[in-house]
Amino acid sequence: MIEIIKEPWPWYVSGPLIGLTVPILLLIGNKSFGISSSLRHICAACIPANISFFKYDWKKESWNLFFVFGIFLGGIIATYFLSNPNAIEITPQLSEQLATYGITDHSGLLPAQLFSWESLFTLRGFIMIVVGGFMVGFGTRYAGGCTSGHAIMGISNLQWPSLVATICFMIGGFIMANLILPYILSL
C-alpha cells in the first residue's frame, strides 16, 4: 500500500479527488476553497492594526487555517516519509536547454542555482525570488483570489470573474514561461 502512495497518481485519480473538495466544502458548511484567504485571516488575527481590510470576524473562517495547516503538515509528511530519493527526471532536451543557462542541479524539486540563499543575492535570483513573489502576491490580491480559489472553486460555481481570472492566469503563465523566463535565466 505504501508503494502506491509513493508513486505519482494519474490525473484521472488526483483530479477528481481535488474536484470533490468543492461539493464537500459546500455541503459541509457553504465554505469556499482557496488558499490565499488564509493569509488574510492570519494577518487579521495577529496584527492589531486599524486597517479596514483586516477588520472582520476572522474566527468564522478559522476552518481555513486548519485546512492550510493540513496542507503544510501533509507536505512535511510527504517530504520526509514519501519522497523519491532519485533525482527529478526531466527530458534530455530540457536538461540541455537548462544547462545553457547554468542550471545543472536537478536533485531537488527546485534548482539550487535559482532558489537558494546564494542565488538570492544575484540579479537573476532576486528577480526570481523577490520580484516573482511580489508579483504573485500582487496578482492574487488584484484578482481577488489565487489560482486554486478561482480555477477550482470559482469555475465550478460558474462564476464569470473566476473564468476570466483563470484565463488570465494561464495567459500570464504562457507568456512568463516562453518569453520572459528565458530572458531572466540568461542574466
Coordinates of all heavy atoms in Angstrom, one line a residue, residues 33-68:
F33 N -13.4 27.1 -1.2 CA -12.0 26.6 -1.2 C -11.1 27.7 -1.8 O -11.4 28.4 -2.8 CB -11.9 25.4 -2.2 CG -10.5 24.9 -2.3 CD1 -9.9 24.2 -1.3 CD2 -9.8 25.1 -3.5 CE1 -8.6 23.7 -1.4 CE2 -8.6 24.6 -3.7 CZ -7.9 23.9 -2.6
G34 N -10.0 28.0 -1.1 CA -9.0 28.9 -1.6 C -7.9 29.0 -0.5 O -8.2 28.9 0.7
I35 N -6.7 29.2 -0.9 CA -5.6 29.2 0.0 C -5.2 30.6 0.4 O -4.8 30.9 1.5 CB -4.4 28.5 -0.7 CG1 -4.8 27.1 -1.1 CG2 -3.2 28.5 0.3 CD1 -5.3 26.2 0.1
S36 N -5.2 31.6 -0.6 CA -4.7 32.9 -0.3 C -5.5 33.6 0.8 O -5.0 34.5 1.5 CB -4.7 33.8 -1.6 OG -6.0 33.9 -2.1
S37 N -6.8 33.3 1.0 CA -7.6 34.0 2.0 C -7.0 33.7 3.4 O -7.2 34.4 4.3 CB -9.0 33.6 1.9 OG -9.2 32.2 2.0
S38 N -6.3 32.5 3.6 CA -5.8 32.2 4.9 C -4.7 33.2 5.3 O -4.6 33.5 6.5 CB -5.2 30.8 4.9 OG -4.1 30.7 4.0
L39 N -4.0 33.8 4.4 CA -3.0 34.8 4.8 C -3.8 36.0 5.4 O -3.3 36.6 6.4 CB -2.2 35.2 3.6 CG -1.1 36.3 3.9 CD1 -0.1 35.8 5.0 CD2 -0.4 36.7 2.7
R40 N -4.9 36.4 4.8 CA -5.7 37.5 5.3 C -6.2 37.2 6.7 O -6.2 38.0 7.6 CB -6.9 37.8 4.4 CG -7.7 38.9 4.9 CD -8.9 39.2 4.0 NE -9.7 40.3 4.5 CZ -11.0 40.5 4.2 NH1 -11.6 39.6 3.5 NH2 -11.6 41.5 4.7
H41 N -6.6 35.9 7.0 CA -7.1 35.5 8.3 C -5.9 35.6 9.3 O -6.2 36.0 10.4 CB -7.7 34.1 8.3 CG -8.8 33.9 7.3 ND1 -9.7 34.9 7.0 CD2 -9.1 32.9 6.5 CE1 -10.5 34.4 6.1 NE2 -10.2 33.2 5.7
I42 N -4.7 35.2 8.9 CA -3.6 35.2 9.8 C -3.3 36.7 10.2 O -3.0 37.0 11.3 CB -2.4 34.5 9.2 CG1 -2.6 33.0 9.1 CG2 -1.1 34.8 10.0 CD1 -1.6 32.2 8.3
C43 N -3.3 37.5 9.2 CA -3.0 38.9 9.4 C -4.0 39.6 10.3 O -3.7 40.3 11.2 CB -2.9 39.7 8.1 SG -1.4 39.3 7.2
A44 N -5.3 39.2 10.1 CA -6.4 39.8 10.9 C -6.3 39.3 12.3 O -6.6 40.1 13.3 CB -7.7 39.4 10.3
A45 N -5.8 38.1 12.5 CA -5.7 37.6 13.9 C -4.4 38.1 14.6 O -4.5 38.3 15.8 CB -5.6 36.0 13.9
C46 N -3.4 38.3 13.9 CA -2.1 38.7 14.5 C -1.7 40.1 14.5 O -0.9 40.6 15.3 CB -0.9 37.9 13.8 SG -1.1 36.1 14.0
I47 N -2.3 40.9 13.6 CA -1.9 42.3 13.5 C -3.1 43.2 14.0 O -4.1 43.3 13.4 CB -1.6 42.7 12.1 CG1 -0.4 41.8 11.5 CG2 -1.2 44.2 12.0 CD1 -0.1 42.0 10.1
P48 N -2.9 43.8 15.2 CA -4.0 44.6 15.8 C -4.0 46.0 15.2 O -4.0 47.0 16.0 CB -3.7 44.5 17.3 CG -2.2 44.4 17.3 CD -1.8 43.6 16.2
A49 N -3.9 46.1 13.9 CA -3.8 47.5 13.3 C -5.2 47.9 13.0 O -6.2 47.2 13.0 CB -3.0 47.4 12.1
N50 N -5.4 49.2 12.8 CA -6.7 49.8 12.4 C -6.8 49.8 10.9 O -7.0 50.9 10.3 CB -6.8 51.2 13.0 CG -8.2 51.7 13.0 OD1 -9.1 50.9 12.8 ND2 -8.4 53.0 13.2
I51 N -6.7 48.7 10.2 CA -6.8 48.6 8.8 C -8.2 47.9 8.5 O -8.5 46.8 8.9 CB -5.7 47.7 8.2 CG1 -4.3 48.4 8.6 CG2 -5.8 47.6 6.7 CD1 -3.1 47.5 8.3
S52 N -9.0 48.6 7.7 CA -10.3 48.1 7.4 C -10.4 46.8 6.7 O -11.3 46.0 7.0 CB -11.1 49.2 6.6 OG -10.5 49.3 5.3
F53 N -9.4 46.5 5.9 CA -9.3 45.2 5.2 C -9.2 44.0 6.2 O -9.7 42.9 5.9 CB -8.1 45.2 4.3 CG -8.0 43.9 3.4 CD1 -9.0 43.7 2.4 CD2 -7.0 43.0 3.6 CE1 -8.9 42.5 1.6 CE2 -6.9 41.9 2.8 CZ -7.9 41.6 1.8
F54 N -8.6 44.2 7.4 CA -8.4 43.2 8.4 C -9.4 43.3 9.5 O -9.3 42.5 10.5 CB -7.0 43.3 9.0 CG -5.9 43.0 7.9 CD1 -4.9 43.9 7.8 CD2 -6.0 41.9 7.1 CE1 -3.9 43.6 6.9 CE2 -5.0 41.7 6.2 CZ -3.9 42.5 6.1
K55 N -10.4 44.2 9.4 CA -11.4 44.3 10.5 C -12.7 43.5 10.0 O -13.6 44.0 9.4 CB -11.8 45.7 10.7 CG -10.7 46.6 11.3 CD -11.0 48.0 11.4 CE -11.2 48.3 12.9 NZ -11.5 49.7 13.1
Y56 N -12.7 42.2 10.5 CA -13.8 41.4 10.2 C -13.7 40.2 11.2 O -12.7 40.1 11.9 CB -13.9 40.8 8.8 CG -12.7 39.9 8.4 CD1 -12.8 38.6 8.5 CD2 -11.5 40.5 8.0 CE1 -11.8 37.7 8.2 CE2 -10.4 39.6 7.7 CZ -10.6 38.3 7.8 OH -9.5 37.4 7.5
D57 N -14.7 39.4 11.3 CA -14.7 38.3 12.3 C -13.9 37.1 11.6 O -14.6 36.2 11.0 CB -16.1 37.9 12.7 CG -16.1 36.9 13.8 OD1 -15.0 36.6 14.4 OD2 -17.2 36.3 14.1
W58 N -12.6 37.1 11.8 CA -11.8 36.0 11.1 C -12.0 34.7 11.8 O -11.7 33.6 11.2 CB -10.3 36.4 11.2 CG -9.8 36.6 12.6 CD1 -9.8 37.7 13.3 CD2 -9.3 35.5 13.4 NE1 -9.3 37.5 14.6 CE2 -8.9 36.1 14.7 CE3 -9.1 34.2 13.3 CZ2 -8.4 35.4 15.7 CZ3 -8.5 33.5 14.3 CH2 -8.2 34.1 15.5
K59 N -12.6 34.7 13.0 CA -12.8 33.4 13.7 C -13.8 32.5 13.0 O -13.8 31.3 13.1 CB -13.2 33.6 15.1 CG -12.1 34.2 16.0 CD -12.6 34.6 17.3 CE -11.5 35.3 18.1 NZ -11.9 35.8 19.4
K60 N -14.7 33.1 12.2 CA -15.7 32.4 11.4 C -15.0 31.6 10.3 O -15.6 30.6 9.8 CB -16.8 33.3 10.8 CG -17.8 33.9 11.8 CD -18.8 34.7 11.1 CE -19.8 35.3 12.1 NZ -20.8 36.1 11.4
E61 N -13.9 32.0 9.9 CA -13.1 31.4 8.8 C -11.9 30.6 9.3 O -11.0 30.3 8.6 CB -12.7 32.5 7.8 CG -13.8 33.3 7.2 CD -14.7 32.4 6.4 OE1 -14.3 31.4 5.7 OE2 -15.9 32.7 6.3
S62 N -11.9 30.3 10.6 CA -10.7 29.6 11.2 C -10.6 28.2 10.6 O -9.5 27.7 10.7 CB -10.8 29.6 12.7 OG -11.9 28.9 13.1
W63 N -11.6 27.6 10.1 CA -11.5 26.3 9.5 C -10.5 26.4 8.3 O -9.8 25.4 8.1 CB -12.9 25.9 8.9 CG -13.3 26.6 7.7 CD1 -14.0 27.8 7.7 CD2 -12.9 26.3 6.3 NE1 -14.1 28.2 6.4 CE2 -13.5 27.3 5.5 CE3 -12.2 25.3 5.7 CZ2 -13.3 27.3 4.2 CZ3 -12.1 25.3 4.4 CH2 -12.6 26.3 3.6
N64 N -10.4 27.5 7.6 CA -9.4 27.7 6.5 C -8.0 27.5 7.0 O -7.2 27.0 6.4 CB -9.7 29.0 5.8 CG -9.0 29.1 4.5 OD1 -7.8 29.2 4.5 ND2 -9.7 29.1 3.5
L65 N -7.7 28.1 8.2 CA -6.4 28.0 8.8 C -6.0 26.5 9.1 O -4.9 26.1 8.9 CB -6.3 28.8 10.1 CG -6.5 30.3 9.9 CD1 -6.5 31.1 11.2 CD2 -5.5 30.9 8.9
F66 N -7.0 25.7 9.6 CA -6.7 24.3 9.8 C -6.5 23.6 8.5 O -5.7 22.7 8.4 CB -7.9 23.7 10.6 CG -7.9 24.1 12.0 CD1 -8.9 25.1 12.5 CD2 -7.0 23.6 13.0 CE1 -8.9 25.5 13.8 CE2 -7.0 24.0 14.3 CZ -8.0 24.9 14.7
F67 N -7.3 24.0 7.5 CA -7.1 23.4 6.2 C -5.7 23.6 5.6 O -5.0 22.7 5.1 CB -8.2 24.0 5.2 CG -8.2 23.3 3.9 CD1 -8.9 22.1 3.7 CD2 -7.6 23.9 2.8 CE1 -9.0 21.5 2.4 CE2 -7.7 23.4 1.5 CZ -8.3 22.1 1.4
V68 N -5.3 24.9 5.7 CA -3.9 25.2 5.2 C -2.8 24.5 6.1 O -1.8 24.1 5.6 CB -3.7 26.7 5.2 CG1 -2.3 27.1 4.9 CG2 -4.7 27.4 4.2

